[in-house]
């Protein structure tokens, strides 16, 4: 299964996140900033939750630093308003390096 944005399948001409990650050497991957994936356990977007779980497993297997947060919620503003402050704080640490 591929994960392109929110789609659990590949789109012709657009590499999947798996292909992008695999396109880098181990040395290049070591320079990736850590990032966070956050998804609602009741999300109604077909395949979104399962795709995030699979991509988390892939990143873990690859040894890439990341955080995976799954919590109750669906793909809506109520869920994302909790995510935004964390996202902005994480971006600030990356941009301030």
């Amino acid at each position: 299964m591929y994960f392109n944005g929110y789609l659990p399948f590949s789109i012709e001409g657009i590499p999947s996140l798996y292909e992008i990650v695999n396109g880098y050497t181990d040395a290049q991957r070591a320079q990736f900033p850590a990032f966070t994936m956050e998804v609602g356990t009741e999300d109604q977007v077909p395949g979104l939750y399962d795709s995030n779980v699979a991509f988390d497993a892939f990143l873990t297997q690859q040894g890439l630093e990341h955080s995976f947060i799954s919590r109750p919620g669906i793909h809506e503003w109520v869920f994302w308003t909790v995510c935004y402050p964390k996202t902005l704080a994480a971006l600030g640490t990356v941009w301030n390096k």
Side-chain angles (χ1 to χ4, degrees), residues 43-60:
D43 206 305
Q44 299 168 346
V45 176
L48 182 61
Y49 181 78
D50 292 338
S51 294
N52 275 272
V53 170
F55 195 61
D56 170 52
F58 169 76
L59 293 174
T60 300

Side-chain angles (χ1 to χ4, degrees), residues 61-72:
Q61 185 264 333
Q62 297 294 314
L64 294 174
E65 185 179 351
H66 70 287
S67 297
F68 176 69
I69 301 167
S70 66
R71 60 183 174 84

Side-chain angles (χ1 to χ4, degrees), residues 7-65:
L7 304 175
F9 51 83
S10 62
I11 299 173
E12 186 174 341
I14 301 175
S16 72
L17 291 176
Y18 295 96
E19 292 167 325
I20 292 169
V21 169
N22 285 330
Y24 288 91
T25 66
D26 288 341
Q28 291 170 316
R29 290 183 201 186
Q31 301 302 309
F32 285 1
F35 67 96
T36 299
M37 301 170 3
E38 190 160 352
V39 64
T41 54
E42 290 85 31
D43 206 305
Q44 299 168 346
V45 176
L48 182 61
Y49 181 78
D50 292 338
S51 294
N52 275 272
V53 170
F55 195 61
D56 170 52
F58 169 76
L59 293 174
T60 300
Q61 185 264 333
Q62 297 294 314
L64 294 174
E65 185 179 351

Side-chain angles (χ1 to χ4, degrees), residues 66-86:
H66 70 287
S67 297
F68 176 69
I69 301 167
S70 66
R71 60 183 174 84
I74 63 173
H75 207 83
E76 66 178 359
W77 284 111
V78 173
F79 184 89
W80 293 110
T81 55
V82 174
C83 299
Y84 290 138
K86 295 182 277 184

